[in-house]
Short mmCIF file of all heavy atoms in Angstrom, two decimals:
data_model
loop_
_atom_site.label_atom_id
_atom_site.label_comp_id
_atom_site.label_asym_id
_atom_site.label_seq_id
_atom_site.Cartn_x
_atom_site.Cartn_y
_atom_site.Cartn_z
N LYS F 1 28.91 -60.29 -27.33
CA LYS F 1 28.36 -59.31 -28.26
C LYS F 1 28.83 -57.93 -27.82
O LYS F 1 28.66 -57.55 -26.66
CB LYS F 1 26.84 -59.36 -28.25
CG LYS F 1 26.18 -58.35 -29.19
CD LYS F 1 24.66 -58.46 -29.14
CE LYS F 1 24.02 -57.43 -30.07
NZ LYS F 1 22.52 -57.49 -30.00
N ASP F 2 29.45 -57.19 -28.70
CA ASP F 2 29.93 -55.85 -28.37
C ASP F 2 28.77 -54.87 -28.41
O ASP F 2 28.11 -54.72 -29.44
CB ASP F 2 31.02 -55.41 -29.35
CG ASP F 2 32.30 -56.19 -29.16
OD1 ASP F 2 32.56 -56.65 -28.03
OD2 ASP F 2 33.05 -56.36 -30.15
N GLU F 3 28.54 -54.19 -27.28
CA GLU F 3 27.45 -53.22 -27.19
C GLU F 3 27.96 -51.95 -26.52
O GLU F 3 28.84 -51.99 -25.67
CB GLU F 3 26.27 -53.80 -26.41
CG GLU F 3 25.69 -55.06 -27.03
CD GLU F 3 24.32 -55.40 -26.48
OE1 GLU F 3 23.39 -54.58 -26.67
OE2 GLU F 3 24.18 -56.47 -25.86
N ILE F 4 27.38 -50.82 -26.91
CA ILE F 4 27.76 -49.55 -26.30
C ILE F 4 26.91 -49.34 -25.05
O ILE F 4 25.81 -49.90 -24.91
CB ILE F 4 27.59 -48.39 -27.29
CG1 ILE F 4 26.13 -48.21 -27.70
CG2 ILE F 4 28.49 -48.58 -28.51
CD1 ILE F 4 25.90 -46.97 -28.57
N PRO F 5 27.40 -48.53 -24.11
CA PRO F 5 26.64 -48.30 -22.88
C PRO F 5 25.22 -47.80 -23.13
O PRO F 5 24.29 -48.19 -22.41
CB PRO F 5 27.48 -47.25 -22.14
CG PRO F 5 28.87 -47.52 -22.60
CD PRO F 5 28.75 -47.91 -24.05
N GLU F 6 25.04 -46.97 -24.14
CA GLU F 6 23.70 -46.45 -24.44
C GLU F 6 22.74 -47.56 -24.84
O GLU F 6 21.55 -47.53 -24.49
CB GLU F 6 23.79 -45.38 -25.53
CG GLU F 6 24.42 -44.07 -25.08
CD GLU F 6 25.94 -44.12 -24.97
OE1 GLU F 6 26.55 -45.14 -25.37
OE2 GLU F 6 26.52 -43.14 -24.47
N GLN F 7 23.23 -48.55 -25.58
CA GLN F 7 22.39 -49.69 -25.95
C GLN F 7 21.96 -50.48 -24.72
O GLN F 7 20.80 -50.90 -24.61
CB GLN F 7 23.13 -50.61 -26.91
CG GLN F 7 23.28 -50.11 -28.33
CD GLN F 7 24.12 -51.05 -29.17
OE1 GLN F 7 25.24 -51.39 -28.80
NE2 GLN F 7 23.57 -51.50 -30.28
N LEU F 8 22.88 -50.69 -23.82
CA LEU F 8 22.58 -51.45 -22.62
C LEU F 8 21.60 -50.71 -21.72
O LEU F 8 20.68 -51.32 -21.16
CB LEU F 8 23.87 -51.76 -21.87
CG LEU F 8 24.85 -52.68 -22.62
CD1 LEU F 8 26.17 -52.77 -21.88
CD2 LEU F 8 24.24 -54.06 -22.82
N ALA F 9 21.76 -49.40 -21.60
CA ALA F 9 20.82 -48.62 -20.80
C ALA F 9 19.42 -48.66 -21.41
O ALA F 9 18.42 -48.74 -20.70
CB ALA F 9 21.31 -47.18 -20.66
N ALA F 10 19.36 -48.61 -22.75
CA ALA F 10 18.06 -48.68 -23.43
C ALA F 10 17.41 -50.03 -23.20
O ALA F 10 16.18 -50.12 -23.00
CB ALA F 10 18.24 -48.40 -24.92
N TRP F 11 18.20 -51.10 -23.22
CA TRP F 11 17.64 -52.44 -22.97
C TRP F 11 17.09 -52.54 -21.55
O TRP F 11 15.99 -53.07 -21.35
CB TRP F 11 18.71 -53.50 -23.18
CG TRP F 11 18.24 -54.86 -22.78
CD1 TRP F 11 17.37 -55.67 -23.46
CD2 TRP F 11 18.55 -55.55 -21.56
NE1 TRP F 11 17.14 -56.83 -22.74
CE2 TRP F 11 17.84 -56.77 -21.58
CE3 TRP F 11 19.36 -55.24 -20.47
CZ2 TRP F 11 17.94 -57.69 -20.54
CZ3 TRP F 11 19.45 -56.16 -19.43
CH2 TRP F 11 18.74 -57.36 -19.46
N VAL F 12 17.83 -52.02 -20.58
CA VAL F 12 17.35 -52.04 -19.19
C VAL F 12 16.02 -51.30 -19.09
O VAL F 12 15.08 -51.76 -18.44
CB VAL F 12 18.39 -51.43 -18.25
CG1 VAL F 12 17.78 -51.19 -16.86
CG2 VAL F 12 19.61 -52.32 -18.13
N ARG F 13 15.92 -50.17 -19.76
CA ARG F 13 14.68 -49.39 -19.75
C ARG F 13 13.51 -50.23 -20.28
O ARG F 13 12.41 -50.19 -19.75
CB ARG F 13 14.87 -48.12 -20.58
CG ARG F 13 13.74 -47.10 -20.46
CD ARG F 13 14.00 -45.92 -21.39
NE ARG F 13 15.36 -45.41 -21.26
CZ ARG F 13 16.21 -45.30 -22.28
NH1 ARG F 13 15.84 -45.63 -23.51
NH2 ARG F 13 17.43 -44.83 -22.08
N GLN F 14 13.76 -50.99 -21.32
CA GLN F 14 12.71 -51.80 -21.94
C GLN F 14 12.26 -52.96 -21.05
O GLN F 14 11.13 -53.44 -21.18
CB GLN F 14 13.19 -52.33 -23.28
CG GLN F 14 13.40 -51.26 -24.34
CD GLN F 14 14.15 -51.77 -25.56
OE1 GLN F 14 14.46 -52.97 -25.66
NE2 GLN F 14 14.46 -50.88 -26.48
N THR F 15 13.13 -53.42 -20.16
CA THR F 15 12.74 -54.56 -19.31
C THR F 15 11.65 -54.20 -18.31
O THR F 15 10.90 -55.07 -17.86
CB THR F 15 13.95 -55.09 -18.53
OG1 THR F 15 14.39 -54.10 -17.57
CG2 THR F 15 15.09 -55.47 -19.46
N GLY F 16 11.59 -52.93 -17.91
CA GLY F 16 10.56 -52.51 -16.97
C GLY F 16 10.80 -52.93 -15.54
O GLY F 16 9.87 -52.92 -14.72
N VAL F 17 12.06 -53.31 -15.17
CA VAL F 17 12.36 -53.68 -13.79
C VAL F 17 13.20 -52.59 -13.13
O VAL F 17 13.83 -51.78 -13.81
CB VAL F 17 13.09 -55.04 -13.72
CG1 VAL F 17 12.23 -56.15 -14.30
CG2 VAL F 17 14.43 -54.98 -14.42
N GLU F 18 13.21 -52.59 -11.81
CA GLU F 18 13.91 -51.55 -11.06
C GLU F 18 15.33 -51.95 -10.64
O GLU F 18 16.16 -51.08 -10.41
CB GLU F 18 13.12 -51.17 -9.80
CG GLU F 18 11.87 -50.37 -10.09
CD GLU F 18 11.25 -49.81 -8.83
OE1 GLU F 18 11.48 -50.38 -7.74
OE2 GLU F 18 10.53 -48.81 -8.93
N CYS F 19 15.59 -53.25 -10.53
CA CYS F 19 16.91 -53.71 -10.09
C CYS F 19 17.76 -54.10 -11.30
O CYS F 19 17.27 -54.77 -12.22
CB CYS F 19 16.78 -54.92 -9.16
SG CYS F 19 15.95 -54.56 -7.60
N VAL F 20 19.01 -53.66 -11.28
CA VAL F 20 19.95 -53.99 -12.35
C VAL F 20 21.19 -54.59 -11.71
O VAL F 20 21.74 -54.01 -10.75
CB VAL F 20 20.34 -52.75 -13.17
CG1 VAL F 20 21.26 -53.14 -14.32
CG2 VAL F 20 19.12 -52.02 -13.68
N THR F 21 21.64 -55.73 -12.21
CA THR F 21 22.84 -56.37 -11.70
C THR F 21 23.88 -56.44 -12.80
O THR F 21 23.64 -57.04 -13.85
CB THR F 21 22.54 -57.79 -11.17
OG1 THR F 21 21.58 -57.70 -10.11
CG2 THR F 21 23.80 -58.45 -10.64
N LEU F 22 25.03 -55.83 -12.55
CA LEU F 22 26.15 -55.85 -13.49
C LEU F 22 27.15 -56.86 -12.95
O LEU F 22 27.66 -56.72 -11.83
CB LEU F 22 26.78 -54.47 -13.60
CG LEU F 22 25.81 -53.34 -13.96
CD1 LEU F 22 26.52 -51.99 -13.96
CD2 LEU F 22 25.14 -53.59 -15.29
N THR F 23 27.43 -57.90 -13.73
CA THR F 23 28.19 -59.02 -13.22
C THR F 23 29.14 -59.54 -14.28
O THR F 23 29.34 -58.93 -15.31
CB THR F 23 27.22 -60.12 -12.70
OG1 THR F 23 27.95 -61.14 -12.04
CG2 THR F 23 26.36 -60.70 -13.81
N GLY F 24 29.73 -60.69 -14.03
CA GLY F 24 30.68 -61.25 -14.98
C GLY F 24 30.91 -62.71 -14.69
O GLY F 24 30.00 -63.39 -14.21
N GLY F 25 32.14 -63.10 -14.89
CA GLY F 25 33.32 -62.28 -15.06
C GLY F 25 33.51 -61.26 -13.95
O GLY F 25 32.98 -61.38 -12.87
N GLU F 26 34.30 -60.25 -14.31
CA GLU F 26 34.54 -59.16 -13.39
C GLU F 26 34.21 -57.83 -14.07
O GLU F 26 35.00 -57.31 -14.86
CB GLU F 26 36.00 -59.17 -12.93
CG GLU F 26 36.37 -58.01 -12.03
CD GLU F 26 35.33 -57.74 -10.96
OE1 GLU F 26 35.07 -58.64 -10.13
OE2 GLU F 26 34.75 -56.63 -10.96
N PRO F 27 33.03 -57.28 -13.78
CA PRO F 27 32.59 -56.07 -14.49
C PRO F 27 33.45 -54.84 -14.23
O PRO F 27 33.56 -53.98 -15.10
CB PRO F 27 31.16 -55.86 -13.97
CG PRO F 27 31.13 -56.55 -12.65
CD PRO F 27 32.02 -57.75 -12.81
N VAL F 28 34.07 -54.76 -13.05
CA VAL F 28 34.83 -53.55 -12.71
C VAL F 28 36.04 -53.37 -13.64
O VAL F 28 36.54 -52.26 -13.81
CB VAL F 28 35.27 -53.61 -11.23
CG1 VAL F 28 36.20 -52.46 -10.86
CG2 VAL F 28 34.03 -53.58 -10.34
N LEU F 29 36.49 -54.43 -14.29
CA LEU F 29 37.63 -54.33 -15.20
C LEU F 29 37.24 -53.73 -16.56
O LEU F 29 38.13 -53.46 -17.37
CB LEU F 29 38.25 -55.70 -15.41
CG LEU F 29 38.83 -56.36 -14.15
CD1 LEU F 29 39.38 -57.73 -14.49
CD2 LEU F 29 39.90 -55.49 -13.51
N GLN F 30 35.95 -53.53 -16.80
CA GLN F 30 35.53 -52.96 -18.08
C GLN F 30 35.76 -51.45 -18.07
O GLN F 30 35.22 -50.73 -17.23
CB GLN F 30 34.04 -53.26 -18.33
CG GLN F 30 33.71 -54.74 -18.42
CD GLN F 30 34.45 -55.41 -19.55
OE1 GLN F 30 34.74 -54.80 -20.58
NE2 GLN F 30 34.76 -56.68 -19.37
N PRO F 31 36.56 -50.92 -19.01
CA PRO F 31 36.87 -49.49 -19.01
C PRO F 31 35.64 -48.58 -19.10
O PRO F 31 35.66 -47.46 -18.59
CB PRO F 31 37.75 -49.32 -20.26
CG PRO F 31 38.36 -50.67 -20.48
CD PRO F 31 37.29 -51.65 -20.08
N LEU F 32 34.57 -49.05 -19.73
CA LEU F 32 33.40 -48.21 -19.93
C LEU F 32 32.33 -48.41 -18.85
O LEU F 32 31.24 -47.84 -18.96
CB LEU F 32 32.77 -48.48 -21.30
CG LEU F 32 33.66 -48.11 -22.50
CD1 LEU F 32 32.97 -48.47 -23.81
CD2 LEU F 32 34.01 -46.64 -22.49
N LEU F 33 32.65 -49.17 -17.82
CA LEU F 33 31.64 -49.40 -16.78
C LEU F 33 31.18 -48.11 -16.11
O LEU F 33 29.98 -47.94 -15.89
CB LEU F 33 32.17 -50.39 -15.74
CG LEU F 33 31.11 -50.85 -14.73
CD1 LEU F 33 30.05 -51.71 -15.40
CD2 LEU F 33 31.75 -51.59 -13.56
N PRO F 34 32.07 -47.17 -15.75
CA PRO F 34 31.58 -45.92 -15.13
C PRO F 34 30.57 -45.19 -16.01
O PRO F 34 29.59 -44.63 -15.49
CB PRO F 34 32.86 -45.11 -14.93
CG PRO F 34 33.93 -46.13 -14.79
CD PRO F 34 33.55 -47.22 -15.75
N ARG F 35 30.78 -45.19 -17.32
CA ARG F 35 29.83 -44.54 -18.23
C ARG F 35 28.47 -45.24 -18.18
O ARG F 35 27.42 -44.58 -18.10
CB ARG F 35 30.38 -44.57 -19.66
CG ARG F 35 29.40 -44.15 -20.75
CD ARG F 35 28.93 -42.72 -20.56
NE ARG F 35 28.02 -42.31 -21.63
CZ ARG F 35 27.21 -41.26 -21.56
NH1 ARG F 35 27.17 -40.53 -20.44
NH2 ARG F 35 26.42 -40.94 -22.56
N LEU F 36 28.48 -46.56 -18.20
CA LEU F 36 27.22 -47.30 -18.12
C LEU F 36 26.52 -47.04 -16.80
O LEU F 36 25.29 -46.81 -16.76
CB LEU F 36 27.48 -48.80 -18.29
CG LEU F 36 26.26 -49.71 -18.10
CD1 LEU F 36 25.15 -49.38 -19.09
CD2 LEU F 36 26.67 -51.18 -18.21
N VAL F 37 27.26 -47.07 -15.71
CA VAL F 37 26.66 -46.83 -14.39
C VAL F 37 26.03 -45.45 -14.33
O VAL F 37 24.90 -45.29 -13.82
CB VAL F 37 27.73 -46.99 -13.29
CG1 VAL F 37 27.21 -46.47 -11.95
CG2 VAL F 37 28.14 -48.45 -13.16
N GLU F 38 26.71 -44.45 -14.86
CA GLU F 38 26.17 -43.10 -14.83
C GLU F 38 24.87 -43.00 -15.63
O GLU F 38 23.91 -42.34 -15.19
CB GLU F 38 27.20 -42.12 -15.38
CG GLU F 38 26.95 -40.68 -15.00
CD GLU F 38 28.19 -39.81 -15.12
OE1 GLU F 38 29.24 -40.30 -15.57
OE2 GLU F 38 28.08 -38.62 -14.74
#
């Protein structure tokens, strides 16, 4: 499912947890990963 970094950050906020794991596959190959991390 194609999602923008803002959507993913909003979903994390809704989960109410403190730990976030970005995985794959290989997440570092995603061009927009730095934006999501920030």
Side-chain angles (χ1 to χ4, degrees):
K1 180 180 179 182
D2 290 332
E3 300 196 63
I4 63 174
E6 289 77 7
Q7 286 176 306
L8 295 172
W11 173 75
V12 169
R13 190 183 312 124
Q14 293 168 4
T15 66
V17 299
E18 287 190 336
C19 295
V20 183
T21 300
L22 306 177
T23 187
E26 177 44 61
V28 174
L29 298 178
Q30 298 300 329
L32 295 177
L33 189 68
R35 170 61 178 162
L36 175 59
V37 168
E38 198 160 4

